[in-house]
Amino acid sequence: MTVGGRAVVAGWNGFIGHRLVSDLSARGYDVVRVGRSGPDARWGDLAALAAAVDGAALVVNLAGKSVGRRYTEGNRNEILRSRLDTTRQLRDAITAAAHPPRLWLNASTATIYRYAVDQPQTESDGELGTGFSVDVARSWERELFTGALPGTRRAALRMAIVLGGPASDLLARVARLGVGGPQHDGWWFQHRRYRGIGEDPTGGPVPIHHSGGRQKFSWIHIDDVLAAIRFIETDERLDGPVNLSSPNPSDNRTLMSELHRAVGMPIGIPAPRWLLEPALWALRNESELVLKSRWVLPQRLQAAGFEFTWPELGPAIDDAVRRR
């Protein structure tokens, strides 16, 4: 599908951003890249942002400090601030534009939903969770949808874990070491890193769920992220929250088994939480990545007729590992 016109991609220098810029350019868009160091416009340069947005056909915002790190006090604040400030700057620029973009897509996360093993979470009946990651997502979406933008359709892309990038690379690394069996939740020292944040913080002590490695794993292949963006561009019914996740979520035990198969490592030692936490501390990451049960379905995309290129986990993992 070739569209043309100007597309603004903010936060373009992550792995999704690089792929998106290439895809948009191939489809005839003149792509303007916004980031801390540009190259076409920088955060804080309001005049450059206004010029980029005014007359653009499409704005996609992927900006925000990576959550693939320890939730130290400084990182927690920066994860939230980087999302709210960049979204606010874009909203102000679009509000002031004489010719606003027809579509603004803003990244969000499927982690906004609660820990779920009883039923899937959709845009129509999903229940929001509590705690740090959920509060970041709620605040992020609130910033996106604040105020009236009558000329611009807005959608929050609630992305599941994306295969083909840093998250699946980390899991494949663990599998290659032979220690990446199913991850089991259980007792651990209480800490405050997962406590709520923002204007109305939620959540309390660190949650413990004895899911036995059966916590749900919702995911989406990077190719389907790009295809979903193309699809949303052409379907004006899709605004508000849109789940970007495979229609066939798996669970942690199956995920790790498929990763072992894909990397050719037959051994996968199960990891109880007391073993997992020190390992992830060494990797400077958080156990939430693998212990939270994310059971998310792409209800709105499927209802609109979107077809996934990679609907099944095994082939999607094979492709993600092969490309790396």
Side-chain angles (χ1 to χ4, degrees):
M1 180 181 64
T2 302
V3 179
R6 188 191 322 142
V8 177
V9 180
W12 63 275
N13 53 350
F15 94 97
I16 297 175
H18 278 293
R19 289 287 304 273
L20 178 59
V21 167
S22 296
D23 184 73
L24 291 170
S25 297
R27 292 194 282 128
Y29 277 109
D30 174 22
V31 181
V32 174
R33 293 164 294 172
V34 180
R36 285 172 299 188
S37 56
D40 304 313
R42 299 184 181 187
W43 298 118
D45 187 341
L46 302 184
L49 279 176
V53 164
D54 200 345
L58 171 67
V59 172
V60 183
N61 181 26
L62 304 170
K65 187 179 182 72
S66 169
V67 296
R69 62 194 66 244
R70 298 294 281 180
Y71 294 163
T72 63
E73 195 66 19
N75 284 342
R76 281 167 45 90
N77 291 333
E78 184 61 15
I79 286 168
L80 179 64
R81 185 210 63 79
S82 61
R83 285 158 173 73
L84 300 193
D85 284 1
T86 53
T87 302
R88 186 179 303 120
Q89 288 183 50
L90 286 172
R91 193 186 68 242
D92 289 346
I94 293 171
T95 300
H99 303 285
R102 64 176 183 268
L103 177 62
W104 176 13
L105 302 178
N106 215 72
S108 183
T109 172
T111 299
I112 197 170
Y113 297 111
R114 65 172 173 85
Y115 184 106
V117 291
D118 55 335
Q119 64 184 44
Q121 306 294 296
T122 69
E123 300 95 336
S124 63
D125 60 6
E127 300 171 73
L128 303 191
T130 59
F132 171 68
S133 297
V134 172
D135 287 353
V136 168
R138 289 169 57 239
S139 300
W140 202 4
E141 291 190 6
R142 185 185 306 126
E143 200 66 49
L144 167 64
F145 294 119
T146 293
L149 293 177
T152 302
R153 176 165 54 101
R154 289 174 279 186
L157 306 179
R158 291 182 174 174
M159 279 184 268
I161 292 174
V162 180
L163 300 184
S168 56
D169 287 352
L170 173 64
L171 293 170
R173 224 170 110 202
V174 171
R176 284 191 178 96
L177 295 173
V179 294
Q183 287 98 25
H184 295 242
D185 205 346
W187 180 87
W188 187 246
F189 301 101
Q190 286 296 309
H191 59 74
R192 302 185 69 240
R193 297 193 306 277
Y194 292 176
R195 72 188 187 280
I197 196 171
E199 294 179 2
D200 50 347
T202 65
V206 178
I208 296 174
H209 304 275
H210 297 283
S211 54
R214 290 299 184 187
Q215 60 269 30
K216 293 292 187 178
F217 177 73
S218 288
W219 58 277
I220 186 169
H221 191 287
I222 180 61
D223 289 351
D224 283 323
V225 171
L226 301 177
I229 288 173
R230 294 193 294 268
F231 188 84
I232 294 169
E233 284 180 63
T234 61
D235 193 324
E236 295 189 357
R237 297 170 296 174
L238 292 172
D239 60 2
V242 180
N243 290 346
L244 268 58
S245 59
S246 163
N248 298 301
S250 185
D251 62 19
N252 177 263
R253 185 180 297 270
T254 304
L255 164 69
M256 300 313 297
S257 175
E258 290 288 356
L259 281 166
H260 285 128
R261 180 191 55 75
V263 301
M265 170 55 72
I267 301 170
I269 301 171
R273 190 166 188 173
W274 60 264
L275 182 61
L276 180 65
E277 290 284 359
L280 286 169
W281 175 84
L283 292 169
R284 309 310 299 158
N285 223 301
E286 293 285 354
S287 62
E288 180 183 55
L289 172 67
V290 292
L291 292 181
K292 180 171 180 177
S293 186
R294 300 171 177 86
W295 191 358
V296 181
L297 292 180
Q299 181 185 60
R300 297 191 65 199
L301 279 177
Q302 287 193 295
F306 179 73
E307 295 184 4
F308 286 81
T309 302
W310 301 99
E312 302 293 341
L313 181 62
I317 284 180
D318 286 343
D319 184 75
V321 169
R322 177 183 58 81
R323 292 194 193 191
R324 306 306 287 188

